[in-house]
Amino acid sequence: MQQPWITLRLGQTSIRIDRRVPFIFVVCILATLSAMVINIGVGEYPIPAIDVVKTVLHIPTGEEDYNFIVNTLRLPRMLVAALVGLALGISGAIMQGLTRNPLADPSIIGISSGASLVAVSILVLFKGISSNYLPFAAFGGALLVAFAIYMLAWRGGDSPIRLILVGVGLGAITSAATSMMITFGNINDVQRALIWLTGSVYARSWGEFWPLFMWVLVFAPLACFLARDLNALNLGEDVARGLGSNVTYKRGLLLIVAVALAAATVAAAGTIGFVGLMAPHIARRLVGPDHSGMLPVAAMVGALVVVCADLVGRTLFAPIELPCGLITAAIGAPFFVYLLWRQRKS
Amino acid sequence: MGTLHTEALELAYDSNVIIQHMNVSIPSGKITALIGPNGCGKSTLLRGLARLLQPRKGAAYIDGKAIHQMPTRELAKQLGILPQSPIAPEGLTVMELVAQGRYPHQSWFQQWSIEDEQAVEKALAITGMTEFRTRPVDALSGGQRQRAWIAMTLAQETPVILLDEPTTYLDLAHQVEVLQLLEHLNKEQGRTVVMVVHDLNHATRHAQHVIAMKAGKIVAAGVPNEVVTSELLQEVFGIDADIVPDPRTGVPLCIPYGLKGSSAGIKTTSLEAALANGTTS
């Protein structure tokens, strides 16, 4: 009988992945790369796709300006968009898997707001601070909110709606505190904070890219490494314990990974909402709920969503630019309502 | 292999002590049923044996080793637990669920060995779930779903299997189906089965060892014929019931009439007379 997965065995070593994953994964990567190339090409100064690729690869195109426009201005922005989507996709998938709640998402349950609050405070209180420290500050804030949610909503009961309500409440509190920081801040610092808060990859440079890249480089592989443990926890605490999972330790580790990835995206691009909600649902549809294949696919879907949202935001009302966080919210919010409605029915 | 016992075990939820100073032993290679009224601590005891609950005092042992001191993964190779009405993630197929049972036998470098594959196939075959392997668990009927979860526990290949009310929410046919499956596992594979059951007749019919509990204490333990008596039912459940031998198998069969001392009890004289010869009480 045909197995639902592909197995590679070499001596005692064996690797297993869902049959659908390799094809879907490659398609998602190609789609994301294409969207990035198109996105770099459009704008006030249009560049043909082939020249975009050539310029990125440092193959001479005969146009002197291309190198500056592509490699200095537009490429880092695109890479930030892709990495933000990738991190949010994984973060959302872990949160949904851990809480067994299809509505969980770092922006909805207030994790992102917590990250924003601390990052904005740092920006306002310490003048001219380097972007390298922002992810750490954001991580601290996100972790604080995650801990508060855990104490208030998660431990007692496992009602999905309760988690969402507590998260939304905490999000409102932290957002209010952020507004207060901004009101009292110095006008120049506030401007820097505001640009950054809107949930946009506008004007992101290599300075924002590298810190984000380092965080993703550490935590994304760690997430994939923990995928099998996430599968066990996704069956519920008791079943996972019965299967021999060290629940407290593994759950804590996964939560830290999810929070760290969400915080790194906030530090780089502000709150880009609903990507962590949508990407895992799309990925689950494509390759099933096994996280060892689902996490990488959710990551690529997330990247694709953010890059496309940015493309739409830049072209829809050009030359006026809409932040990509607005676009993802415009698609994500109705999707969230649909999930809520379906939750009620079951 | 597969002997469980406890010594001065104390189990509690927060400050609420459920079981105190419990010494119980569960025979290996048999089906043991834990019976008792709601809140008597039978599920708590099962959870304690399966290290889902940390003991306050005392300890539980499997083959002489303290359960709560064993590495959890090692214990998962000795003892499987199916909690009460578990819920599978949406869209998870039967095959994927059953494959999860191999978790304690796997590592990142050994995700799917030949033994894993064989154990899963075997578990699917025994539970009759092979033909449903590609179906999502949430699209199955209650009985099939429970069989899929039991298959997961079987794939774990443990000498001991604990089940918390495996027949809850199932209709009569599905209850019989699940209980016969457990009996089969015990007879054919010699696995020790410990289950919490609500239906006394299921306990007497399918278990070789019955432990009756009340208010966190063991009232009686032994073979069904000796344990399940009218006196015991009065003491443990507070009901007025007759015990008659099952016409086919001879195991005690419980017929409840009413609450102890209540006038609502049905007049049972004629039935009692008719069954007088067979009653064990």
Side-chain angles (χ1 to χ4, degrees), chain A:
Chain A
M1 177 174 272
Q2 172 149 7
Q3 298 291 335
W5 38 60
I6 303 166
T7 313
L8 297 173
R9 290 201 184 102
L10 194 76
Q12 287 295 300
T13 312
S14 55
I15 303 277
R16 192 190 80 187
I17 198 104
D18 191 278
R19 192 162 278 284
R20 294 164 286 187
V21 169
F23 175 72
I24 300 275
F25 187 62
V26 170
V27 168
C28 287
I29 289 181
L30 292 178
T32 308
L33 287 177
S34 313
M36 286 168 78
V37 168
I38 294 167
N39 204 345
I40 291 174
V42 301
E44 211 177 323
Y45 195 116
I47 301 173
I50 183 75
D51 286 343
V52 169
V53 177
K54 276 184 177 171
T55 313
V56 170
L57 298 175
H58 293 286
I59 299 167
T61 54
E63 293 277 349
E64 286 297 308
D65 301 338
Y66 281 4
N67 188 39
F68 176 71
I69 294 169
V70 171
N71 286 332
T72 307
L73 292 182
R74 295 185 187 165
L75 180 62
R77 169 188 181 141
M78 259 329 81
L79 289 175
V80 167
L83 279 186
V84 162
L86 187 144
L88 286 175
I90 297 176
S91 179
I94 293 176
M95 286 184 190
Q96 287 173 18
L98 274 185
T99 59
R100 297 169 27 101
N101 186 340
L103 303 172
D105 162 85
S107 67
I108 295 170
I109 62 174
I111 305 265
S112 303
S113 319
S116 298
L117 173 61
V118 178
V120 166
S121 308
I122 298 277
L123 278 180
V124 170
L125 297 176
F126 302 94
K127 289 186 198 310
I129 191 164
S130 154
S131 303
N132 289 339
Y133 298 113
L134 278 184
F136 292 97
F139 180 58
L143 210 55
L144 227 58
V145 171
F147 183 71
I149 289 176
Y150 182 75
M151 295 306 287
L152 291 172
W154 194 348
R155 228 176 35 162
D158 52 3
S159 151
I161 305 294
R162 180 185 159 92
L163 176 78
I164 299 303
L165 286 179
V166 170
V168 168
L170 284 170
I173 296 169
T174 44
S175 297
T178 307
S179 304
M180 206 167 75
M181 278 318 289
I182 286 172
T183 315
F184 293 124
N186 168 296
I187 187 73
N188 291 324
D189 304 325
V190 165
Q191 217 155 26
R192 188 175 167 203
L194 273 181
I195 290 175
W196 171 86
L197 256 183
T198 44
S200 155
V201 287
Y202 175 75
R204 290 308 184 272
S205 66
W206 294 106
E208 278 87 19
F209 169 77
W210 286 112
L212 174 63
F213 179 73
M214 294 316 289
W215 279 68
V216 171
L217 191 68
V218 171
F219 289 104
L222 190 55
C224 294
F225 192 77
L226 291 166
R228 288 173 347 92
D229 303 299
L230 184 54
N231 281 340
L233 287 165
N234 199 17
L235 297 175
E237 191 175 329
D238 283 351
V239 176
R241 228 175 268 265
L243 286 174
S245 165
N246 194 337
V247 169
T248 315
Y249 167 67
K250 288 283 162 58
R251 187 167 56 193
L253 205 57
L254 276 157
L255 193 62
I256 286 173
V257 171
V259 168
L261 285 170
T265 72
V266 172
T271 304
I272 296 180
F274 298 102
V275 178
L277 178 76
M278 291 186 287
H281 281 276
I282 297 170
R284 228 173 271 130
R285 277 285 164 81
L286 292 172
V287 297
D290 179 352
H291 288 91
S292 50
M294 192 272 244
L295 283 181
V297 171
M300 287 326 295
V301 170
L304 183 62
V305 167
V306 175
V307 170
C308 287
D310 187 50
L311 178 62
V312 171
R314 290 180 60 205
T315 50
L316 201 58
F317 298 110
I320 296 167
E321 201 173 288
L322 296 176
C324 67
L326 199 72
I327 308 293
T328 58
I331 316 165
F335 183 70
F336 178 66
V337 173
Y338 160 73
L339 287 176
L340 263 179
W341 173 73
R342 214 181 49 169
Q343 187 82 22
R344 251 184 66 119
K345 268 205 328 183
S346 62

Side-chain angles (χ1 to χ4, degrees), chain B residues 8-256:
Chain B
L9 185 68
E10 181 172 321
L11 295 167
Y13 292 104
D14 293 322
S15 59
N16 193 4
V17 178
I18 308 289
I19 284 173
Q20 249 177 322
H21 209 86
M22 176 167 286
N23 298 305
V24 62
S25 52
I26 290 167
S28 85
K30 286 186 178 169
I31 296 183
T32 298
L34 298 176
I35 60 169
N38 288 336
C40 71
K42 54 193 192 300
S43 284
T44 308
L45 174 60
L46 198 78
R47 291 172 62 82
L49 290 171
R51 53 85 171 85
L52 300 184
L53 205 59
Q54 290 291 323
R56 275 283 192 78
K57 290 174 196 156
Y61 300 88
I62 181 165
D63 298 323
K65 282 176 287 184
I67 281 172
H68 295 85
Q69 251 120 64
M70 283 171 80
T72 179
R73 192 175 282 260
E74 281 314 302
L75 181 63
K77 293 177 187 172
Q78 302 296 318
L79 178 151
I81 166 93
L82 185 58
Q84 197 181 339
S85 14
I87 298 168
E90 199 185 330
L92 194 79
T93 64
V94 170
M95 181 87 179
E96 286 168 327
L97 177 67
V98 179
Q100 286 286 330
R102 299 302 296 168
Y103 180 84
H105 301 273
Q106 296 167 330
S107 67
W108 203 88
F109 302 101
Q110 203 181 64
Q111 301 182 355
W112 197 236
S113 65
I114 308 230
E115 294 81 59
D116 292 338
E117 200 165 314
Q118 285 167 347
V120 168
E121 291 300 331
K122 208 164 134 192
L124 285 169
I126 294 168
T127 51
M129 291 305 287
T130 309
E131 57 176 311
F132 301 109
R133 61 199 294 152
T134 56
R135 293 262 208 97
V137 178
D138 49 25
L140 298 174
S141 76
Q144 292 165 344
R145 205 175 298 166
Q146 191 65 342
R147 264 163 37 199
W149 279 100
I150 292 174
M152 185 203 80
T153 319
L154 289 185
Q156 213 172 322
E157 297 203 308
T158 56
V160 182
I161 298 176
L162 311 182
L163 305 103
D164 195 352
E165 297 193 24
T167 54
T168 326
Y169 304 127
L170 299 182
D171 65 31
L172 208 53
H174 288 137
Q175 290 179 10
V176 172
E177 182 183 335
V178 166
L179 289 165
Q180 282 184 339
L181 170 62
L182 295 176
E183 213 167 311
H184 174 83
L185 289 173
N186 171 253
K187 278 209 186 96
E188 304 299 317
Q189 307 197 332
R191 303 213 204 194
T192 307
V193 175
V194 185
M195 57 182 184
V196 168
V197 282
H198 258 307
D199 192 318
L200 280 177
N201 293 332
H202 285 163
T204 56
R205 173 77 200 282
H206 298 277
Q208 297 115 12
H209 191 80
V210 173
I211 297 174
M213 290 177 65
K214 186 189 177 184
K217 297 246 181 323
I218 289 174
V219 180
V223 293
N225 270 315
E226 289 166 10
V227 174
V228 181
T229 60
S230 306
E231 291 79 24
L232 179 104
L233 295 183
Q234 220 171 65
E235 186 187 344
V236 171
F237 291 95
I239 55 166
D240 170 24
D242 273 4
I243 300 294
V244 298
D246 181 308
R248 289 208 204 167
T249 59
V251 300
L253 199 60
C254 161
I255 308 172

